[in-house]
Amino acid sequence: MSKTIIEPFRIKVVEPVGRTTPAERRAALQEAGYNLFMIPAEKILIDLLTDSGTGAMSAEQWAGLSRGDESYAGARSFFRFRDAVQEIFGFEHVIPVHQGRAAEKILFGLRAAPGKTVPNNTHFDTTRANVEAQGARALDLPCAESADLRNEAPFKGNMDLDALERTLAAAAPGEIPVVMTTITNNSLGGHPVSLANLKSTVEICRRHGIPCFVDAARFAENAYLIKRREPGQGERPVKEIARDQFRGFDGCLMSAKKDGIANIGGIFATNDGDLAEEARQVLVVTEGFPTYGGLAGRDLEAIAIGLHEALDESYLEYRLASTAYLADHLHAAGVPVVRPAGGHAVYLDGRAFLNHLDPAHLPGHALTCALYEHAGIRGCEIGTVMFGRLDEATGELLPAEHDLVRLAIPRRVYTQSHIDYVIESILELFAKREQIPGMKMVWSPRALRHFTARFAPR
Ligand code: F0G
């Protein structure tokens, strides 16, 4: 067998990509207030904004859409969805929701409140927003290695267990309603969390009598990275590792738009029957009847199939190889990227890439705009624009810990030549990086500002 890892599929349906001239892209940027969320997708050549809901469905999933049972209650598709979730995750109560943040809203709506704290290895932006929307505090407890972007440690997504122990020990009774852990750790480089770390998280929570949940958005990629990186796991089937990840946890929240390889959908699953009943009562008011939860029957069918396909080992081998291919080529050419490569995305270190800019001049955001203008590639800033605090007095954004640019790779969508084009374009931009200007924010909304804020070059 050749050593080349090929895309383990062939292409049946194609969609043209958006070709534009540099002048058209400059005009588009200006019109969008330099916010890439505001650019029409037809003006994007390679869209690495997110891996969420952007995957290509398989022939089996498309066939599943036809089989979708649209009965209001008790649809066959619900039972196939429930069985897939029970088999893969091992939780008894399975509730469909329309996407990940709906599951977050239900859990934190029921359990978070002013004065309460929710620890997490690192909250994703919507998770943080849903905790904070209840008046509670979202506390990130990432492991120490994660702060060093160049460190090659294999499990930089891990929870800082000592900090978790200290936090739970110091908390007043009832102060911490639930502990979360996010696999893989999306806000911090897409790094995996080890099985050992998951197990210890459960142990600590049990000892303190506090429920713990997994944010399972990228559970399959996390399981495959465990297989490749954690001692003693290399020979085990990924499916077995995937299930092991959830052992001892009280439940999981999941956006099915990532490792469900579906275009929409989410999951709330738990072993806590009382919580499930409370969740169903909220669901029926805000999302839909408990056997469809805001989804069509065909969506449930696509997710049931996608969850299994995401655990296919030749798919995962290709998936992780293509992320590493992009990260390793850039790294070898001296481009500052977060090391090592994670599962779903490559993260450029915007602050190091544009080290002529002051962090207050939004280097991550400036790089995101420059990459679009130069090559029609859309990435996503994960830095000061997304997470920086606003100085109440001056209205200036205070720099976040890092200014990263995430290049998220949709599942089964782009081929190696697309990725080669991305590498080439970034190297060209790197060669003329000193010409890239800083940015300033000229308007922002109160919550989740990165989606709609407007900017201008300095
Ligand atoms: N949790 C994690 C770890 C996520 O990455 C996301 C979404 C969510 C929860 C929310 O799920 O979008 O279905 O409501 N992440 C996307 C991204 C948007 O681009 O990383 P959702």
Side-chain angles (χ1 to χ4, degrees), residues 50-52 99-101 104 124 126-127 182 186 215 217-218 255 257-258 406:
T50 178
D51 63 322
S52 180
Q99 62 183 85
R101 66 199 74 179
E104 291 165 358
F124 181 65
T126 60
T127 325
T182 305
N186 184 20
D215 177 334
R218 299 177 180 85
S255 166
K257 301 169 72 173
K258 288 86 171 170
R406 186 186 72 172

Side-chain angles (χ1 to χ4, degrees), residues 307-360:
L307 287 171
H308 282 290
E309 290 183 353
L311 289 169
D312 179 277
E313 302 216 6
S314 61
Y315 156 74
L316 282 167
E317 181 185 36
Y318 135 80
R319 169 87 178 141
L320 280 299
S322 53
T323 310
Y325 180 86
L326 175 55
D328 293 347
H329 276 74
L330 293 174
H331 180 56
V335 176
V337 292
V338 174
R339 301 293 304 164
H344 66 297
V346 172
Y347 296 67
L348 305 174
D349 178 355
R351 212 173 277 175
F353 197 113
L354 299 183
N355 59 10
H356 62 288
L357 296 183
D358 188 293

Side-chain angles (χ1 to χ4, degrees), residues 30 58 118 120 126 185 191 213 260 272 287 289 351 368 383:
Q30 220 169 18
S58 64
V118 177
N120 196 327
T126 60
N185 192 334
H191 297 300
F213 268 64
D272 178 340
E287 290 273 306
F289 188 74
R351 212 173 277 175
T368 310

